[in-house]
Amino acid sequence: MARLFEEGGRALSAYLRPREGAPRKAAGADEIVDVVRTLGQVAERWMANPSRTLEAQRAFTGGFLELWAGSLKRFSGEDAPPVAVPDPRDARFKDPEWTTSPFFDFVKQAYLHASRWAERMVDEAQELDPHTRHKASFYVRQIANAVAPSNFVPTNPELIRETLASKGENLVRGMRMLAEDIAAGNGDLRIRQTDGSNFVVGKNLATTPGKVVFRNELFELLQYAPTTEMVRTRPVLIVPPWINKFYILDLTPEKSFIKWCVDQGLTIFCISWVNPDARHAQLSFDDYMRDGVLTALKIVQEISGSETVDAVGYCVGGTLLAITLAYLAAKGEAPFASATFLTTQVDFTHAGDLKVFVDEEQVKAVEARMAESGYLEGASMANAFNMLRSNDLIWPYVVNNYLKGKAPFPFDLLYWNSDATRMPAANHSFYLRGCYLNNDLAKGRMTVGGERLDLKAVTVPVYELATREDHIAPARSAFLGAQLFGGPVRFVLAGSGHIAGVVNPPAKMKYQHWVGDEPAGAFEDWFAEAEEKPGSWWPDWRGWLAAADATATPARTPGEGPYPALDDAPGTYVKVRV
């Protein structure tokens, strides 16, 4: 206990130290205000109808009385059917004692009954507008996940056993890690999801050989070294998202999409965005298009000697690519021969739980925070993404790290997930308002570079990849957006989620993918008719590229053309951490 209090003091000191001498707004204060306001609206709707409120209370109390009666039977050695059963995939209650012990079984069922009742209260508040009900449902789910009995030592049988067996040593180790993680977050908790000491970008991550062939204040352009004597004539330019780092496509050699492409005889160029700071505050969406994508395109054309280029955009990088294509179409130019969109949204009607964070009041709050520093801290977006799957990306690590006192395992994907980037104020504000808040691109109202954008004017062939369990760019959303383009579209659905569904090497034979007719109508109808195929979507995409251009040319060595090598891949920008 003495050591636990000592480590607790260090954690408190790590929290207070950055706040000494200057007032500092509590992290998440704006979000807490919005939670209280939103749930207050739900309560108002119920209280306005006393008879409905009474019925809801009766259902809540009746469930507990039924649970109590069943628990009394179990305590006396009799069997009783459960009132609430966890989802079989819910790892929180996998310890056998949650079922075998009458006490912990009661705690588990009481929690499930109460949390599901709260969710029903939101679902049945039909008088709320859809956005408010969506927010309320999300907030209730986050609160329920936070107060789960599995997150506390006295109500988690596994934690009780571990604490007794180690005489509290687990809590001492956990408090020490808590202090370290608060210090790492400069006074705010930065939950470690993996052991980062095992990874170094450029040494065991992002190791595909290549060169930096261009650099400006916005990006570095990487050209990868060929592994075949002949390469496909038309090169490929990858436009990754700027909200995280490009090396998700080049994690380790056996998982690297970029290495696989190079081994398939493709000349690969990839943008590596700068990790912005206050100097980049005024970089706009126009700048990311002109000085980013279009500048990279010009250099790829000059190095390769090819007038046309195939482009690949991932997530928000795909949104930027689509905007660039519409801009070029408005000017009557067609330097891109095709476009591949990986888990990309261009229509944000069904943009999933991220829309919870986007309404006029919340966007204004974000813009006010960005005005102070010129950028949005990387931790803000990382926290938002983690909250979308808090039972996978937050609470298991709280329990493992701070209550069990165990360091997380080294995992390359989670190291990348924690390697956050900042976002320049002007660009991020345009993205939030133009895409999530107003959906201007899909509605034909967006203006970039002085041109009004129309996605129907984009007639190049499109390969659209969605993933079935995507919580960031839902498949339904990607499917709807794919119908806005004016040319032929091959829509493919991959198994798993936003990352694992994309980074799925063929050699592993994991997951599956579905192919079908061009996207039209409802996603559910398309999926019902789609053909399921085993394994990765990568070979399907490579075949699609080959059908458009199967000509070959001698391999191109990075740095030997008009742009000498400035550095080895993965360059310098990707190594800047926040």
Side-chain angles (χ1 to χ4, degrees), residues 11 14-15 19 24 27 174 177-192 379 383 394-395 397-398 401-402:
Y15 173 81
R19 293 166 170 81
R24 176 172 168 179
M177 283 194 282
L178 178 65
E180 293 169 355
D181 290 354
I182 293 175
N186 191 31
D188 295 322
L189 178 60
R190 181 180 293 180
I191 301 172
R192 69 181 83 181
N383 290 339
I394 296 179
W395 299 111
Y397 297 99
V398 169
N401 300 355
Y402 311 135

Side-chain angles (χ1 to χ4, degrees), residues 59-354:
F60 182 70
T61 306
F64 264 109
L65 290 175
E66 183 182 352
L67 172 59
W68 180 245
S71 296
L72 287 177
K73 287 184 178 181
R74 292 208 61 199
F75 274 109
S76 62
E78 300 179 46
D79 290 332
V83 171
V85 179
D87 188 300
R89 297 170 297 179
D90 192 341
R92 296 175 297 177
F93 304 110
K94 65 180 181 180
D95 188 279
E97 205 166 347
W98 285 111
T99 302
T100 59
S101 164
F103 171 76
F104 290 114
D105 183 54
F106 173 81
V107 170
K108 174 190 69 179
Q109 291 193 61
Y111 162 74
L112 293 172
H113 170 64
S115 59
R116 291 169 183 174
W117 177 86
E119 291 173 2
R120 285 198 304 273
M121 293 304 96
V122 175
D123 294 340
E124 295 174 11
Q126 297 300 326
E127 302 85 352
L128 291 172
D129 65 272
H131 179 64
T132 301
R133 189 161 61 249
H134 186 188
K135 287 203 300 181
S137 177
F138 180 81
Y139 292 150
V140 165
R141 193 162 63 247
Q142 297 307 312
I143 294 170
N145 291 345
V147 301
S150 54
N151 296 337
F152 303 95
V153 173
T155 52
N156 185 325
E158 185 180 4
L159 293 177
I160 291 174
R161 291 197 305 269
E162 189 140 1
T163 302
L164 294 175
S166 67
K167 298 180 181 179
E169 182 68 31
N170 56 315
L171 300 179
V172 174
R173 295 193 306 266
M175 190 62 72
R176 184 181 305 126
M177 283 194 282
L178 178 65
E180 293 169 355
D181 290 354
I182 293 175
N186 191 31
D188 295 322
L189 178 60
R190 181 180 293 180
I191 301 172
R192 69 181 83 181
Q193 296 174 322
T194 185
D195 181 359
S197 63
N198 289 272
F199 301 108
V200 179
V201 174
K203 292 190 179 296
N204 56 4
L205 297 174
T207 59
T208 301
K211 300 291 183 182
V212 177
V213 293
F214 177 81
R215 178 186 295 124
N216 63 15
E217 69 164 348
L218 187 57
F219 76 99
E220 292 177 326
L221 183 64
L222 310 176
Q223 180 184 358
Y224 288 92
T227 58
T228 56
E229 292 185 4
M230 302 293 289
V231 295
R232 181 172 176 268
T233 302
R234 208 153 64 207
V236 176
L237 171 63
I238 297 176
V239 184
W242 62 83
I243 58 177
N244 40 43
K245 297 184 178 179
F246 83 90
Y247 69 88
I248 186 59
L249 298 174
D250 188 28
L251 274 175
T252 57
E254 61 274 11
K255 296 179 183 177
S256 172
F257 175 73
I258 288 174
K259 181 181 185 303
W260 183 86
C261 289
V262 170
D263 291 343
Q264 293 292 311
L266 299 177
T267 301
I268 297 294
F269 294 84
C270 184
I271 290 173
S272 174
W273 299 108
V274 72
N275 200 334
D277 53 36
R279 297 169 299 171
H280 305 95
Q282 298 308 312
L283 285 177
S284 65
F285 217 88
D286 288 31
D287 293 323
Y288 271 74
M289 181 185 72
R290 293 181 188 277
D291 298 335
V293 179
L294 293 180
T295 297
L297 167 67
K298 172 179 172 291
I299 296 162
V300 171
Q301 289 173 317
E302 292 177 5
I303 290 176
S304 67
S306 175
E307 293 184 1
T308 56
V309 174
D310 293 304
V312 176
Y314 191 178
C315 188
V316 67
T319 307
L320 174 61
L321 174 61
I323 288 172
T324 304
L325 290 169
Y327 170 81
L328 292 169
K331 295 177 68 66
E333 302 174 13
F336 288 110
S338 74
T340 297
F341 298 107
L342 309 178
T343 60
T344 292
Q345 296 179 102
V346 294
D347 187 319
F348 289 75
T349 303
H350 305 299
D353 282 343
L354 276 177

Side-chain angles (χ1 to χ4, degrees), residues 41-55:
Q41 290 179 267
V42 177
E44 286 176 6
R45 296 303 187 276
W46 278 95
M47 296 304 293
N49 190 331
S51 62
R52 286 183 63 204
T53 303
L54 184 61
E55 182 60 34

